[in-house]
Structures are given as structure tokens and as C-alpha cells.
Amino acid sequence: MVLPVVRRREGAPGAHARRTRNHRTGDSRSAHRRRAGLRHQHRDEYWRHASLSENYQALRCLVLASSGWADGYSNAVTRLLSRVHVPRKGLIGPWSHKLPHLGEPGPAIGYLQEVVRWWDHWLKGAENGAMDGPMIRAWMQESVPPSTSYEERPGRWVGEPSWPSPHVQQVLHPLRDRAIVRVDEEPSSWEEGESAGRVHTVQSPLSVGQFAGKWASYNAPPDLPYDQREEDGGSLVFDTQPLTERVEILGAPAVELLVSSSKETAQITVRLSDVATDGRATRVTYGVLNLAHRAGDDRPEPLEPGRKYRVRIPLNGVAQVFPAGHRIRLSLSTSYWPLVWPAPAPALLSVHETGSSLTLPIRPTDAPHDASSTPFGEPEGCTPADVTQLTEPEQAWTVSRNLVDYHSSLDIVKDRGLQRYEENGIEVGLRAVEKYTSIADDFGSVSGESAWTLRFRRPAWDIRVETRTTLTSDENEFHVDATLDGYEGGRRVFSRTWNESVPRMNV
């Protein structure tokens, strides 16, 4: 048995509280999954039964795992490579949630040729070099200005013989005096001096996160994170000095913090950014931790206000260049709405510099096993369908704030318009509208609403399905209100409504 592509994560509890904009609500099955996820806010059997991470050694098939740095599933590739013991290969490009031969941002590659070569080798016994070269090939992304979309991400392919790579060094950077320093550059006096015991506090406004983009980009502009400077205004920020030489990272950075909280439930979001000489900040990667889940998603435990805890927050893996003259920035915030559902109430976090650090996976710029000598083929695929655009598509991503009543809103529209497929004459329309709102820093005011319309039409018939789901919460419960309506010839022929409340359990 051969597994040609792996593009899913290995199970995660409380997905509603981690990613509020990532699961479509366009049918009754999606609504059912949403409600089921709310009922299982911890890692229990609901999540375990389909999770490979329960026993990686149970995987006996061969693995060709692929993803993109802008996708939500890129971490699954490196986890598989490091934990299974079967013939395996990994591929991570700059792409969003699209197949690599359609990869956006580019460059796209001849992925179908790679898959055919894989199948030919393992199913037909072809000696075609499918297993030659590095175990993992990754697109090392060059520095770019912040943008909500890119046609291409400049960079180069690099390869590693195994994962974890023997060429990647985990370099510790203590956090000192609102700065990131290398451990070998840290003045010894800081260990015992005043700054060793320095404490910083952060309680972020709900507006931090409005420029976060989507959890899993579909390259549906503009769904990538924008300039992080406004986000950094509500965050606790640590910067390096301007870099004296080019720095490249490959893998998952991690942050260790000594923290205390004013509340029993709190969350922390960690962002790593590339800061250019003009101050613009491009988010490189990020990580989120519900501090009640500090010991694991299966063992949530409320915080004891005022007590110090040592926590580790892994960030999403990435391959990224930081040019000389730029700075590396670490930003800590206590909210990241609407990418992450807020905690029940605002919490003040105290970050103690002693014992707090950032670890970067440094790949030497002259590391061997570069993959550029074996380039991929040109993208290939089947001939696109003959489609006629009947109505104009619409794309919008609007952030608004009313300074009278302090109402904030993120409004997203993705409307493909009505399209006719000439081969069979069917007309298809899809419109998705999402709205995420809050008032000032009232954590009980947050609301996420998703409305989808899917339409199919031919001269003799016209059907459409409309769904609307709204998620709200207070300090004690989540509230779900959803409707599904089916229409035929303009007449409603089916309707169903859901109204449920689910207790919050350390989320």
C-alpha cells in the first residue's frame, strides 16, 4: 500500500477555539462537525480515534507528504518525517492550500510528474530515482514586504538528508531588556543583575489579530497577514539588534516563557516577524497556547492567578531568510481575534525575563545538500474546463472600527459569481460571506457569522442551498445558532434550525 500525499493534521482538540475561520459551514454535515467539536474541547477519544499521533509506528505504508508554508497543515510533513520509520519523502513549498502544480503563491512545480514517478517506482518497480536526493525539499523564502497576497515568493529550494536535519542548529536566544540576544552574546552581569528579574506585563486589546489573515490560506486575496506594526502596538515586543549577516531558519522556532496570569484561563499568541530597515514587519510564523492546556490538550487545568508557570510554545515550521540589516521580532499578545476565539475574559500576563527565551532553528547559509541541482519539472495538468463567467465575482476583506460605539468588524466576501460549464450547460454559483465583530475590549461581545449560498441551474431547473451559522459566547458557554434552507425554483422546500449552548471547559 502506498500513501502518495498526506495533507491533514494528526488531530487537535478544541479546534473551534484555535481557528475560528477555517471550517466551512456550507452544509449540514459541517454544522454537525462544528457542534461535535464544541462538545469535545479537550483531547479525548473523539480526537484520538483518527489521529496518527497516537501511534506513529502503526503507519506501514510509504509516504510522500506535501504541503505549503502558507497552508495550515505544513507541520504534518515534518512530524511524519521525524516519527515514522518507513521509506518517506517530504515537500514543502511557498504555497497556500492548493496542490503544488497549481501552487499559489508561486512558483508552482511539476507535482504530477513527481507523483507519477513515485507510483511508478513503488507499484511498477521502475528504477527512476524516486528515492534519490534529500528526504525533504523545502522552499527557503527570501524576505518580502508585508502583503495580503503574493503572486510569487522569491527563494530557492533546499534539501536535507533526514529530519530532524543534522545541519540545522537549535540556537537559544534569551529575552533580556525587551531584546532578543544570542546566548553567547549575553552579558554575564545580566544573569545576576537587575534585568535578570525584570517582569513585563501585557493585556492585549481585542483588535490584535485583525491583520492575521486566515489560518489556512487558499490564496484567495487578501487572506495572508498584513503589516504587523499595528498588531505590535497591542503586544509585548522583543527585537534583535540589526543583523550583521544573513540569517536563515528551517524548522519550528519555539518560545519558553516564565509567566503568571491574573485569571484562571488565559491564552498567549507568539508571532515571529521580519522587520525591514524602514520598520515594516512581515509575519514569518506564529504559535498559540491556551495556558490551561500547558500540560497537554488532554490534561487541561485552570491557572492559579499569580503563580509562575514555565511554558513552551512551538511556532509553525517555516523556511525563511532574514537579511543583514533587518531585525527579528518576537511579539506576545493575550488575544488574536478573530483567528483565535478569545478567552472568557481579559487576562493580564506577567512575563518574567529570567528563564524566558526564543530558540531558532538556524540553517547555515553554506549548508550542504542543496536541492537546486535537481529542479522540478514545469507544472502540468489537465486542460481547464471551458467556463463562461455569467456574473461578476466579488472579493472583499474589510476591517472597520466605529469610534463612537467602539464596534469593530472584519467583513469577508468571496463570491465566484455565476459560471456556466459549457460541456454540460450547468451553471454554478458560490457566495460566502463571513463577519467577525466585537465591541471595545468586551470579550463577551465577540461574534463570528458565516453565510454560504450554493446554486446550481440549468434551463429546466434552478436549485440553491443557503446556510447561516453564528457563534457567540459568554464567560460560561458557547452559543451556536444555525439555519439551513433548500430552494427549488425559488420556492423553499427544506428548512432546519439549530440552537445550542455548550459549557466552556477551560477554553
Side-chain angles (χ1 to χ4, degrees):
M1 182 179 179
V2 181
L3 180 64
V5 181
V6 175
R7 292 182 64 85
R8 63 171 295 176
R9 59 198 171 96
E10 295 99 311
H16 65 282
R18 297 168 183 262
R19 294 173 284 274
T20 63
R21 281 192 261 130
N22 313 316
H23 303 288
R24 300 181 178 181
T25 56
D27 57 42
S28 59
R29 289 176 300 173
S30 295
H32 173 75
R33 289 193 296 267
R34 189 72 40 72
R35 299 194 309 278
L38 281 171
R39 296 189 190 100
H40 298 271
Q41 298 169 30
H42 308 150
R43 186 175 178 85
D44 56 14
E45 187 56 32
Y46 175 84
W47 302 103
R48 288 194 202 91
H49 83 279
S51 175
L52 179 61
S53 65
E54 294 298 305
N55 182 10
Y56 282 99
Q57 304 319 306
L59 182 64
R60 300 295 182 87
C61 59
L62 312 165
V63 173
L64 173 60
S66 64
S67 190
W69 295 129
D71 198 344
Y73 300 101
S74 58
N75 293 328
V77 175
T78 50
R79 282 200 298 263
L80 282 168
L81 296 182
S82 64
R83 296 175 187 177
V84 301
H85 299 293
V86 296
R88 58 202 184 275
K89 287 276 190 175
L91 173 65
I92 310 178
W95 316 301
S96 59
H97 193 65
K98 289 180 176 285
L99 289 167
H101 67 290
L102 304 172
E104 295 176 313
I109 65 167
Y111 181 65
L112 297 185
Q113 299 96 301
E114 295 296 313
V115 171
V116 169
R117 187 161 65 117
W118 179 267
W119 285 114
D120 283 348
H121 177 71
W122 290 109
L123 295 185
K124 298 180 180 179
E127 296 298 330
N128 55 15
M131 291 301 293
D132 293 347
M135 176 185 288
I136 183 171
R137 299 175 74 178
W139 186 252
M140 179 63 70
Q141 301 178 131
E142 291 288 342
S143 175
V144 290
S147 177
T148 56
S149 67
Y150 302 95
E151 290 187 8
E152 296 267 337
R153 282 299 304 262
R156 74 186 195 282
W157 289 105
V158 298
E160 298 296 340
S162 60
W163 196 261
S165 169
H167 307 120
V168 175
Q169 301 173 326
Q170 302 297 325
V171 180
L172 183 72
H173 296 73
L175 305 182
R176 293 289 183 264
D177 197 20
R178 299 289 293 271
I180 303 170
V181 298
R182 281 189 55 136
V183 68
D184 54 2
E185 298 172 343
E186 182 182 21
S188 58
S189 60
W190 283 1
E191 291 294 339
E192 301 176 359
E194 177 182 349
S195 64
R198 186 165 291 166
V199 179
H200 305 286
T201 59
V202 58
Q203 181 172 308
S204 302
L206 273 174
S207 58
V208 174
Q210 288 192 316
F211 297 150
K214 275 187 178 284
W215 166 75
S217 168
Y218 281 78
N219 202 54
D223 67 2
L224 295 174
Y226 191 47
D227 193 329
Q228 298 293 288
R229 284 179 290 184
E230 186 169 339
E231 309 275 59
D232 289 339
S235 307
L236 177 60
V237 173
F238 298 82
D239 282 350
T240 65
Q241 292 295 316
L243 300 174
T244 58
E245 59 185 17
R246 176 186 178 98
V247 172
E248 297 183 1
I249 63 173
L250 175 58
V255 171
E256 291 196 9
L257 299 174
L258 186 63
V259 298
S260 54
S261 169
S262 65
K263 296 291 177 66
E264 291 186 346
T265 302
Q267 64 182 222
I268 187 164
T269 296
V270 179
R271 291 176 282 116
L272 195 70
S273 298
D274 170 24
V275 182
T277 54
D278 62 3
R280 288 184 292 178
T282 302
R283 197 190 75 192
V284 169
T285 183
Y286 75 102
V288 181
L289 177 65
N290 176 345
L291 291 172
H293 288 226
R294 61 195 177 277
D297 291 324
D298 58 341
R299 300 187 303 276
E301 186 177 320
L303 298 162
E304 180 184 327
R307 178 182 173 183
K308 296 180 184 178
Y309 297 91
R310 191 174 301 280
V311 297
R312 184 177 186 274
I313 306 107
L315 282 65
N316 293 326
V318 71
Q320 179 67 39
V321 172
F322 298 90
H326 285 212
R327 289 173 290 147
I328 299 174
R329 172 170 294 168
L330 181 70
S331 307
L332 312 179
S333 63
T334 58
S335 65
Y336 209 37
W337 165 254
L339 188 67
V340 181
W341 200 268
L348 180 71
L349 287 187
S350 298
V351 178
H352 304 257
E353 286 195 346
T354 301
S356 295
S357 63
L358 164 68
T359 298
L360 292 176
I362 303 294
R363 184 182 193 270
T365 55
D366 59 351
H369 297 283
D370 196 289
S372 59
S373 59
T374 54
F376 294 102
E378 291 298 314
E380 293 183 4
C382 56
T383 303
D386 185 9
V387 177
T388 300
Q389 190 76 41
L390 302 177
T391 63
E392 287 297 315
E394 181 184 359
Q395 194 95 316
W397 189 295
T398 306
V399 174
S400 62
R401 296 172 188 163
N402 187 324
L403 297 185
V404 175
D405 61 5
Y406 303 109
H407 181 275
S408 295
S409 179
L410 171 61
D411 295 87
I412 303 170
V413 177
K414 182 180 179 181
D415 189 340
R416 296 179 183 173
L418 193 64
Q419 300 173 317
R420 182 173 61 237
Y421 289 79
E422 298 299 346
E423 182 178 0
N424 55 22
I426 194 169
E427 297 174 1
V428 180
L430 172 64
R431 179 177 175 84
V433 178
E434 301 175 46
K435 189 178 187 69
Y436 304 92
T437 61
S438 60
I439 299 174
D441 289 330
D442 179 2
F443 278 42
S445 69
V446 297
S447 172
E449 182 177 309
S450 177
W452 286 66
T453 300
L454 184 60
R455 184 178 187 183
F456 297 93
R457 188 173 73 179
R458 275 181 173 159
W461 54 270
D462 185 352
I463 62 172
R464 76 179 190 273
V465 176
E466 297 182 353
T467 67
R468 184 179 299 274
T469 303
T470 301
L471 177 63
T472 58
S473 66
D474 52 38
E475 288 199 22
N476 300 311
E477 292 182 313
F478 291 103
H479 307 287
V480 182
D481 300 289
T483 61
L484 184 149
D485 293 300
Y487 295 84
E488 183 175 359
R491 180 183 180 187
R492 186 167 63 182
V493 296
F494 178 86
S495 183
R496 187 172 178 183
T497 300
W498 295 265
N499 304 101
E500 297 187 20
S501 295
V502 180
R504 299 181 75 146
M505 294 177 283
N506 298 308
V507 171

